[in-house]
Short mmCIF file of all heavy atoms in Angstrom, two decimals:
data_model
loop_
_atom_site.label_atom_id
_atom_site.label_comp_id
_atom_site.label_asym_id
_atom_site.label_seq_id
_atom_site.Cartn_x
_atom_site.Cartn_y
_atom_site.Cartn_z
N ALA A 167 -3.48 16.50 -13.32
CA ALA A 167 -3.15 16.73 -11.91
C ALA A 167 -2.65 18.14 -11.66
O ALA A 167 -2.74 18.65 -10.54
CB ALA A 167 -2.12 15.72 -11.44
N HIS A 168 -2.14 18.79 -12.70
CA HIS A 168 -1.57 20.13 -12.55
C HIS A 168 -2.43 21.22 -13.18
O HIS A 168 -1.94 22.31 -13.44
CB HIS A 168 -0.16 20.14 -13.11
CG HIS A 168 0.76 19.24 -12.35
ND1 HIS A 168 1.00 17.93 -12.73
CD2 HIS A 168 1.46 19.42 -11.21
CE1 HIS A 168 1.82 17.37 -11.87
NE2 HIS A 168 2.12 18.25 -10.94
N ARG A 172 -10.45 20.23 -15.43
CA ARG A 172 -11.49 19.24 -15.17
C ARG A 172 -11.54 18.95 -13.67
O ARG A 172 -10.53 19.03 -12.97
CB ARG A 172 -11.19 17.92 -15.90
CG ARG A 172 -11.14 18.05 -17.40
CD ARG A 172 -12.40 17.46 -18.01
NE ARG A 172 -12.52 17.78 -19.41
CZ ARG A 172 -12.16 17.00 -20.39
NH1 ARG A 172 -11.61 15.84 -20.15
NH2 ARG A 172 -12.34 17.37 -21.64
N GLY A 180 -12.98 9.40 -16.42
CA GLY A 180 -12.39 9.25 -17.75
C GLY A 180 -11.32 8.17 -17.76
O GLY A 180 -11.27 7.34 -18.68
N HIS A 184 -11.50 4.23 -19.56
CA HIS A 184 -10.49 3.74 -20.50
C HIS A 184 -9.69 2.57 -19.93
O HIS A 184 -8.79 2.05 -20.60
CB HIS A 184 -9.53 4.88 -20.90
CG HIS A 184 -10.16 5.87 -21.82
ND1 HIS A 184 -10.77 7.01 -21.37
CD2 HIS A 184 -10.29 5.87 -23.17
CE1 HIS A 184 -11.24 7.70 -22.39
NE2 HIS A 184 -10.97 7.02 -23.51
N GLY A 185 -9.97 2.17 -18.69
CA GLY A 185 -9.23 1.08 -18.07
C GLY A 185 -7.78 1.42 -17.83
O GLY A 185 -6.91 0.56 -17.84
N ALA A 192 -1.38 7.17 -11.03
CA ALA A 192 -0.51 8.34 -11.13
C ALA A 192 -1.28 9.62 -10.80
O ALA A 192 -0.77 10.50 -10.10
CB ALA A 192 0.10 8.43 -12.52
N THR A 214 -5.72 5.55 1.12
CA THR A 214 -6.34 4.24 1.23
C THR A 214 -6.68 3.69 -0.16
O THR A 214 -6.46 2.51 -0.46
CB THR A 214 -7.60 4.30 2.12
OG1 THR A 214 -7.21 4.80 3.40
CG2 THR A 214 -8.24 2.94 2.28
N GLY A 222 -4.32 -4.09 -6.33
CA GLY A 222 -4.99 -4.53 -7.56
C GLY A 222 -3.99 -4.74 -8.69
O GLY A 222 -4.08 -5.72 -9.45
N LEU A 227 -0.76 -8.44 -12.12
CA LEU A 227 0.53 -8.97 -12.54
C LEU A 227 0.66 -10.45 -12.23
O LEU A 227 1.17 -11.23 -13.04
CB LEU A 227 1.68 -8.20 -11.88
CG LEU A 227 2.11 -6.92 -12.58
CD1 LEU A 227 3.15 -6.18 -11.75
CD2 LEU A 227 2.67 -7.22 -13.96
N GLY A 235 3.06 -17.61 -17.94
CA GLY A 235 4.31 -18.18 -17.45
C GLY A 235 5.18 -17.10 -16.85
O GLY A 235 4.99 -15.90 -17.09
N LEU A 251 5.19 0.29 -3.41
CA LEU A 251 4.25 0.27 -2.29
C LEU A 251 4.97 0.42 -0.96
O LEU A 251 4.49 1.13 -0.07
CB LEU A 251 3.41 -1.01 -2.31
CG LEU A 251 2.33 -1.13 -1.23
CD1 LEU A 251 1.39 0.08 -1.21
CD2 LEU A 251 1.53 -2.41 -1.40
N PHE A 254 5.70 3.97 -0.66
CA PHE A 254 4.44 4.67 -0.37
C PHE A 254 4.12 4.56 1.12
O PHE A 254 3.75 5.55 1.75
CB PHE A 254 3.31 4.08 -1.21
CG PHE A 254 1.98 4.71 -0.95
CD1 PHE A 254 1.65 5.93 -1.52
CD2 PHE A 254 1.06 4.10 -0.11
CE1 PHE A 254 0.42 6.52 -1.26
CE2 PHE A 254 -0.17 4.68 0.15
CZ PHE A 254 -0.49 5.89 -0.42
N THR A 257 6.35 6.85 3.09
CA THR A 257 6.07 8.26 2.86
C THR A 257 4.73 8.69 3.42
O THR A 257 4.63 9.75 4.05
CB THR A 257 6.10 8.56 1.34
OG1 THR A 257 7.35 8.13 0.82
CG2 THR A 257 5.91 10.05 1.08
N PRO A 260 1.53 8.38 7.76
CA PRO A 260 0.68 9.19 8.64
C PRO A 260 -0.73 9.42 8.08
O PRO A 260 -1.66 9.69 8.83
CB PRO A 260 1.42 10.53 8.73
CG PRO A 260 2.81 10.24 8.33
CD PRO A 260 2.73 9.11 7.36
N THR A 267 -5.93 -0.22 6.90
CA THR A 267 -4.85 -0.67 6.03
C THR A 267 -4.53 -2.14 6.28
O THR A 267 -4.37 -2.91 5.33
CB THR A 267 -3.61 0.21 6.21
OG1 THR A 267 -3.98 1.58 6.01
CG2 THR A 267 -2.51 -0.16 5.23
N ILE A 287 5.18 1.61 10.07
CA ILE A 287 4.58 2.37 11.18
C ILE A 287 5.16 1.96 12.53
O ILE A 287 4.70 2.41 13.57
CB ILE A 287 3.03 2.26 11.18
CG1 ILE A 287 2.57 0.84 11.45
CG2 ILE A 287 2.46 2.82 9.89
CD1 ILE A 287 1.07 0.73 11.69
N LEU A 294 5.37 -8.83 15.95
CA LEU A 294 5.60 -9.99 16.82
C LEU A 294 4.45 -10.99 16.74
O LEU A 294 4.67 -12.21 16.70
CB LEU A 294 5.81 -9.53 18.27
CG LEU A 294 7.17 -8.93 18.57
CD1 LEU A 294 7.16 -8.21 19.91
CD2 LEU A 294 8.24 -9.99 18.52
N ARG A 296 2.56 -11.55 14.23
CA ARG A 296 2.69 -12.26 12.95
C ARG A 296 3.75 -13.35 13.03
O ARG A 296 3.52 -14.47 12.60
CB ARG A 296 3.03 -11.24 11.85
CG ARG A 296 3.22 -11.79 10.46
CD ARG A 296 2.05 -12.57 9.91
NE ARG A 296 0.81 -11.86 9.98
CZ ARG A 296 0.04 -11.56 8.96
NH1 ARG A 296 0.39 -11.92 7.76
NH2 ARG A 296 -1.09 -10.93 9.14
N ARG A 299 2.46 -16.27 15.16
CA ARG A 299 1.46 -17.07 14.43
C ARG A 299 2.11 -17.98 13.39
O ARG A 299 1.64 -19.09 13.14
CB ARG A 299 0.46 -16.17 13.73
CG ARG A 299 -0.58 -15.62 14.64
CD ARG A 299 -1.65 -14.89 13.85
NE ARG A 299 -2.46 -14.11 14.74
CZ ARG A 299 -3.03 -12.95 14.44
NH1 ARG A 299 -2.86 -12.44 13.23
NH2 ARG A 299 -3.75 -12.31 15.31
N ALA A 304 12.70 -17.68 16.16
CA ALA A 304 13.96 -16.94 16.17
C ALA A 304 13.76 -15.50 15.71
O ALA A 304 14.30 -14.56 16.31
CB ALA A 304 15.00 -17.64 15.30
#
Side-chain angles (χ1 to χ4, degrees):
H168 296 94
R172 299 255 168 97
H184 287 93
T214 302
L227 275 174
L251 183 54
F254 179 80
T257 305
T267 305
I287 65 170
L294 284 166
R296 179 57 52 121
R299 281 188 193 147

